[in-house]
Amino acid sequence: MTDPDRPAGHLALAVRWAGRLLCWSLAAAWSAAAVDLTVPPQAGWWDTLWPLPWFLTCACAVAWAALRAREKSRAGGHDPQTEMDVRADWDQAA
């Protein structure tokens, strides 16, 4: 994963936002499922509304995977930080 303090290009920002949207849509889907399971709402629109976050989660997962694959192919299959960068960061922290 890229370092949040490191300047990122447009593709990296798109990957971050797709990942965030994926997490939030999954949280909304879990919340909607919990509400549907524990206190089944009697509203007529609920049966249409509660599966929508699940569909959004699937769409976000596909979008994130495609964007992440494109980001990795541009970087030559490596994350922006190399193994040596990570080791140097840990050595400096120690």
Side-chain angles (χ1 to χ4, degrees), residues 5-80:
D5 297 329
R6 198 179 267 204
H10 295 293
L11 188 57
L13 289 175
V15 171
R16 284 185 196 171
W17 281 106
R20 288 175 185 161
L21 185 59
L22 174 61
C23 291
W24 281 105
S25 63
L26 185 58
W30 284 345
S31 300
V35 167
D36 191 56
L37 183 65
T38 58
V39 202
Q42 300 301 323
W45 49 266
W46 179 254
D47 290 334
T48 305
L49 179 72
W50 87 266
L52 290 179
W54 291 106
F55 297 136
L56 182 61
T57 300
C58 294
C60 290
V62 169
W64 177 83
L67 287 168
R68 184 67 176 140
R70 185 170 179 184
E71 181 185 39
K72 282 195 161 235
S73 70
R74 280 193 176 174
H78 304 297
D79 280 334

